Amino acid sequence: MKVLVAVKRVIDYNVKIRVKADHSDVDLTNVKMAMNPFCEIAVEEAVRLKEKGVATEIVAVTVGPKAAQEQLRTALALGADRAIHIETDERAESLAVAKLLAKVVDEEQPGMVILGKQAIDTDNNQTGQMLAALTNLPQGTFASEVAVDGDKLHVTREIDGGLQTVALTLPAIVTTDLRLNEPRYAKLPDIMKAKKKPMDMKTPADLGVEVASKVSLLKVESPAERKGGIKVASVDELVDKLKNEAKVL
Amino acid sequence: MSILVLADLHEGQLAGATAHVVAAAEAIGGDIDVLVAGEGVQAAAEAAAKLNGVTKVRVADNVVYAHQLAEPLSALLVELADDYTHVLASASTTGKNVLPRLAALKDVSQLSDIIAVDSADTFKRPIYAGNAIATVKSDDALKVITVRTTGFDAVSEGGSGSASIEAVDVVVENSQSSFVKEELAQSDRPELGGAKVVISGGRGMGNGENFKLLDGIADKLGAAIGASRAAVDAGFVPNDMQVGQTGKIVAPELYIAVGISGAIQHLAGMKDSKVIVAINKDDEAPIFQVADYGLVGDLFEILPELESNI
């Protein structure tokens, strides 16, 4: 089956963010960017499905500015066969991204779509579920294990308090959680080869999707700083402070 | 304003998160209905009716809603949503699974993880692992929102049972997804999200076996046991114990971090705790920058001593 993998360009997870002085947004000028960690897991899962002979072709797709092609090249180096770049400089919210991806699903007819469960910039955790709604497909979110069983997809999900396994009809939408796999690193020869793999360019207008959202970002602030406290010298002192100063014991 | 709150269930019973979501609904203002959807959920509906501030409890009790799968639950909510200006759920794995699907079916955006209500259309929510707080305004006719429970104090139980309970007779079809099994961690300890005290271990615990060192302290304090992502990634403990950006968000009265260095993504899950204690052998560990009380030393010596002193 064909597997579609969506990836997002986000701030590198090691970077400490700064809020802009005018509080309009987070300042991303000259900040190191990378593929969203959950999307790396999504790409890895697709590659493993291909190695198992379940997937026959992997198509990577992203919605974002021109620079997001870097992340598509990374996906191609990791094992995707071709890529689709939907270029926009607008702030595309989850619903708009899901609408764009739904158009791609319509064109490509994949047997499975794998996405990260959330992007570490907006922390929304929405796009996969929304894509499932718009394509009228079942969803296996927060997956820690994915197995094709005949015409069904068994997805083990990380839920509050444990694990839940559901069986979904195919095609299906899967979003990845941390323990699904451990992504590999791209090898240099594969990075070179990825430069020659095909990449289609599209715009939201080509797909007939309006990116503008009814949600406006009014303000971005730094959270209240938590002040560091004191160091205690012993367990006795700690217990004393917790009992008599903090009064939490 | 009329608000529908999707109740959270835990093994068929009303989960504590619901009382926090009702509090968020009260902050928005208006009539508050609670939807209890599942199979055999009459007791949960009665518990929801006791929550102060609830006008009406609507019960969809049918096998198709068992285990609160996203496909049937979002289809049910689509049928009910036209009666409301807001649909709220907790940012639990159920709320996060179901509400974005509802939002897309209604062609509206969803606001995730709100921590404050500025007005009926303007909310605050953390972004970038809580390293920034965004104020967002929704102009959608229907606001679909998940609520971070630590942002709102739970409403109390009136005990009067004043809210009416009525059955919802909408039964949707679901041929796309089916429940196979659930493996829930069995524990006598309080649930991580609602515990007054949380003690968490990190990579410094060394291995999964050593997490037993936390048991005695947790028993004495009535604490839940958590873990950092590093400890989960290292395979010491299961992922449902993870506290952090990608795990549980907690804000207990007392949080004890043991052998946890304090990566940004862990701090995102616990820095709103009232009192933070850090135990770590590295006195430069970033966890000490947010800890009210830090103790530098070998956790294998400190933990047994702490257990006997409290």
Side-chain angles (χ1 to χ4, degrees):
Chain A
M1 73 170 77
K2 189 194 283 186
V3 175
L4 183 69
V5 183
V7 299
K8 185 177 184 186
R9 176 184 174 84
V10 297
I11 193 165
D12 185 274
Y13 77 96
N14 284 312
V15 174
K16 190 160 171 36
I17 61 136
R18 294 183 311 270
V19 170
K20 284 184 184 171
D22 66 358
H23 294 289
S24 60
D25 207 339
V26 166
D27 192 354
L28 295 180
T29 323
N30 297 324
V31 165
K32 188 181 174 207
M33 303 292 279
M35 189 190 291
N36 178 45
F38 288 101
C39 302
E40 289 182 338
I41 296 172
V43 173
E44 176 67 30
E45 194 63 17
V47 173
R48 290 188 188 190
L49 286 170
K50 194 171 175 194
E51 287 168 349
K52 281 186 210 152
V54 175
T56 49
E57 187 189 20
I58 302 170
V59 182
V61 57
T62 196
V63 177
K66 184 146 200 87
Q69 289 183 7
E70 278 174 41
Q71 281 61 50
L72 286 177
R73 290 292 169 201
T74 303
L76 291 168
L78 290 167
D81 298 294
R82 58 189 173 88
I84 301 168
H85 179 211
I86 303 169
E87 188 176 342
T88 177
D89 289 325
E90 278 188 74
R91 189 172 57 89
E93 295 265 350
S94 308
L95 182 62
V97 173
K99 284 180 179 177
L100 291 164
L101 295 178
K103 295 286 184 182
V104 175
V105 168
D106 201 34
E107 283 178 9
E108 297 283 342
Q109 297 289 318
M112 196 189 303
V113 186
I114 313 179
L115 308 89
K117 76 166 181 180
Q118 80 191 62
I120 60 165
D121 49 4
T122 54
D123 281 331
N124 270 328
N125 197 328
Q126 298 174 0
T127 305
Q129 296 89 313
M130 287 182 158
L131 175 62
L134 298 175
T135 52
N136 191 28
L137 294 175
Q139 66 191 50
T141 51
F142 329 142
S144 67
E145 202 181 328
V146 172
V148 177
D149 181 16
D151 60 349
K152 289 279 173 68
L153 183 70
H154 282 241
V155 180
T156 302
R157 308 177 52 234
E158 305 267 5
I159 61 166
D160 295 334
L163 297 171
Q164 179 190 64
T165 305
V166 291
L168 309 176
T169 54
L170 287 165
I173 311 290
V174 172
T175 76
T176 62
D177 215 320
L178 281 179
R179 291 192 304 172
L180 182 57
N181 60 51
E182 210 166 293
R184 69 195 71 187
Y185 294 99
K187 296 193 190 84
L188 188 59
D190 293 331
I191 294 170
M192 301 310 288
K193 264 189 261 172
K195 291 181 179 164
K196 297 205 177 75
K197 288 185 178 175
M199 188 183 295
D200 270 354
M201 316 291 174
K202 291 178 195 293
T203 65
D206 293 341
L207 296 166
V209 173
E210 187 69 51
V211 173
S213 157
K214 289 210 168 127
V215 173
S216 37
L217 183 61
L218 302 184
K219 193 165 58 175
V220 175
E221 300 159 290
S222 293
E225 282 285 318
R226 194 180 175 107
K227 287 197 194 75
I230 56 161
K231 293 237 173 79
V232 293
S234 67
V235 169
D236 285 339
E237 189 186 348
L238 175 64
V239 172
D240 175 63
K241 293 279 186 196
L242 290 176
K243 276 188 178 149
N244 301 315
E245 193 174 271
K247 300 192 191 330
V248 287
L249 286 189
Chain B
M1 236 73 70
S2 51
I3 304 167
L4 182 65
V5 170
L6 174 65
D8 252 294
L9 302 178
H10 183 71
E11 295 185 334
Q13 301 300 308
L14 189 73
T18 308
H20 295 266
V21 183
V22 171
E26 281 193 319
I28 294 168
D31 287 342
I32 302 168
D33 290 357
V34 174
L35 173 66
V36 179
E39 186 190 21
V41 290
Q42 200 57 37
E46 282 161 20
K50 291 198 176 80
L51 295 177
N52 278 328
V54 175
T55 312
K56 185 167 70 183
V57 177
R58 305 181 73 175
V59 192
D61 200 331
N62 191 286
V63 65
V64 75
Y65 304 124
H67 307 290
Q68 301 197 301
L69 300 185
E71 296 78 9
L73 224 53
S74 56
L76 169 66
L77 283 163
V78 165
E79 297 292 321
L80 304 179
D82 289 344
D83 296 343
Y84 300 95
T85 55
H86 298 68
V87 176
L88 269 56
S90 83
S92 63
T93 48
T94 302
K96 287 191 285 196
N97 194 30
V98 174
L99 257 55
R101 193 171 174 109
L102 163 70
L105 291 172
K106 297 298 290 180
D107 194 25
V108 298
S109 294
Q110 192 219 262
L111 303 177
S112 295
D113 258 318
I114 64 159
I115 54 170
V117 175
D118 281 5
S119 71
D121 62 9
T122 305
F123 307 90
K124 285 193 164 59
R125 58 175 303 263
I127 54 176
Y128 292 89
N131 289 299
I133 306 296
T135 304
V136 290
K137 178 171 182 282
S138 166
D139 290 323
D140 280 314
L142 175 70
K143 275 90 172 155
V144 179
I145 296 169
T146 62
V147 175
R148 182 171 289 191
T149 50
T150 55
F152 300 88
D153 291 334
V155 296
S156 54
E157 285 182 21
S160 56
S162 59
S164 60
I165 299 179
E166 69 179 44
V168 174
D169 52 13
V170 179
V171 177
V172 301
E173 297 269 320
N174 176 27
S175 56
Q176 294 187 314
S177 62
S178 56
F179 173 83
V180 178
K181 64 175 175 177
E182 223 159 54
E183 296 152 69
L184 297 180
Q186 294 304 323
S187 172
D188 297 333
R189 299 217 167 82
E191 188 199 353
L192 200 48
K196 293 237 180 331
V197 182
V198 173
I199 181 164
S200 289
R203 202 197 301 273
M205 297 300 292
N207 58 48
E209 187 67 17
N210 289 337
F211 265 73
K212 289 195 180 135
L213 291 169
L214 305 180
D215 285 352
I217 300 169
D219 287 342
K220 282 193 165 174
L221 297 177
I225 298 182
S228 69
R229 174 168 164 185
V232 173
D233 281 352
F236 297 172
V237 290
N239 189 51
D240 54 88
M241 288 172 65
Q242 191 200 146
V243 173
Q245 180 186 17
T246 54
K248 298 274 184 342
I249 311 288
V250 301
E253 300 277 305
L254 172 62
Y255 187 90
I256 306 175
V258 185
I260 292 176
S261 64
I264 291 172
Q265 90 87 31
H266 184 73
L267 300 184
M270 45 62 82
K271 66 185 168 57
D272 293 328
S273 306
K274 195 166 154 234
V275 175
I276 297 174
V277 170
I279 298 169
N280 203 297
K281 66 172 191 271
D282 173 10
D283 68 356
E284 300 284 308
I287 191 77
F288 288 121
Q289 291 164 22
V290 300
D292 299 283
Y293 303 106
L295 181 53
V296 179
D298 181 353
L299 65 91
F300 297 104
E301 289 168 17
I302 291 171
L303 288 176
E305 195 184 338
L306 184 61
E307 184 183 337
S308 61
N309 280 27
I310 51 178

